[in-house]
Amino acid sequence: MSIKGLLHDTAERAGAYLDALPGRRVSFAPEAIAKLEELIEPLPAEGAKPDEIIARLDRLGSPASVAMAGPRYFGFVIGGSLPASLAANWLANAWDQNTGLYEVTPATATLETQALTWLLDLLRLPGDCAGSFVTGATVANFTALAAARHRVLADAGWDVEADGLFGAPPVRVLIGAEAHPSVYKSLGMLGLGRNRVVRVPSDGQGRMRVDELSVAGSGPTIVIAQVGNVNTGACDAIGDICAVAKPQGAWVHVDGAFGLWASASPQYRHLLAGVEHADSWATDAHKWLNVPYDSGIAFVRDRDALKAAMAITAEYLPTHSARRNPSDYTPELSRRARGVEIWAALCELGRTGVAELVERCCAHAQHFATRLRAAGHEVLNDVVLNQVLVSFGTDQETRRVIKAIQDDGTCWCGVTVWQGNTAMRISVSNWSTTTADVERSLAAILRIAAS
Ligand SMILES: *Cc1c(COP(=O)(O)O)cnc(C)c1O
């Protein structure tokens, strides 16, 4: 089979998969998981035909997948793939460009630069920020915090990239008590320590209590705020945090893995008032922007700090371009052109479309909350964005309902423990979720809760 024939066949299979997605059960079928055993085999001595490999992959993999890309997956914070972004991902994979350096791959480097310019505009961040396209918010947090580490230590007369952290002036890190665990992981990877932090107490919604934030007495200081708590969706009062921390010379970083997208909506951006005063921001494109995995973005106001942390030079690398070299800003050197899918998603939606996507998901979340409350169930959070936490009574009963809804397959919702209470998490993040999907999911949840 020609490569074109193979890709046609693959497109047929992928199209059939996606067409069936809204109608199929959301969780995987146990029979399909059992069939995965067929994959456990010795490394083949001889190669096989590509079309046969793809046919087998489709036969075994597709039914065993979870309908995460579909409209009734409400677990974690999971977006689907907008049609143009999925198709752009395929085409860019056919190009197979190693998008580290402008002079080597000008097409994809230009697309990334353009995507970055649009993102800064859409998210209302300073237009001259540097940015890096990475794998997700975990690495975006890592990347931005590496820039922060550089700057606060450079200001104290220490070159951390050259001399490491042994003997360096101590860096104070202040972080909200309900920060996402991946931020702690980033701190660990940066040598700043998961435990060597000052935890600032948070309120009942998980927002940092600004009255408890004390930055004075300085030395090198990094404050880590959050917009969009992974459970409640609550956003720190970021403008107030900047007003406290910035005059003391602290670096303010914002983890906005999904919440940062609220800036694109006139209806919701008030939650993030003052976010543009921070120094760095991390977000995910694979969550609310609905591009394929894996895709996150770091934005950093201090371009020199980010470059100092990330750029490398070597005789064989043409790094002295007047244009933006993607790898000057990322932990990776060789990399795929993640920004291309983001560019395509922004083309497909436009400014208005991103705002509508955010507002539609939030309206669906409100609808879930209203109907669940009306049925007598307790919604544990203020539903300010796309996240709903619901209790069905005792912890045990809540866990029973969650397990039953996952087994039922109409929709998928996960479990969390929010400030001591077990809750079902409903996160509405998919571009294709309709009111009918919400109604159908509610009917299943309410039926199971009443049974
Ligand atoms: C999802 C999430 C992360 C981690 O993002 P990944 O894309 O999984 O690396 C970090 N912070 C918050 C608030 C999140 O919601």
Side-chain angles (χ1 to χ4, degrees), residues 131-150:
S132 78
F133 294 98
V134 293
T135 49
T138 302
V139 177
N141 280 320
F142 169 82
T143 303
L145 290 169
R149 184 183 67 166
H150 171 87

Side-chain angles (χ1 to χ4, degrees), residues 77 135-139 141 180 182-183 226-230 255-258 284 286-287 295:
V77 184
T135 49
T138 302
V139 177
N141 280 320
H180 194 273
S182 66
V183 181
Q226 170 172 261
V227 293
N229 175 280
V230 77
D255 176 9
F258 63 96
D284 264 320
H286 57 221
K287 286 180 179 167
S295 186

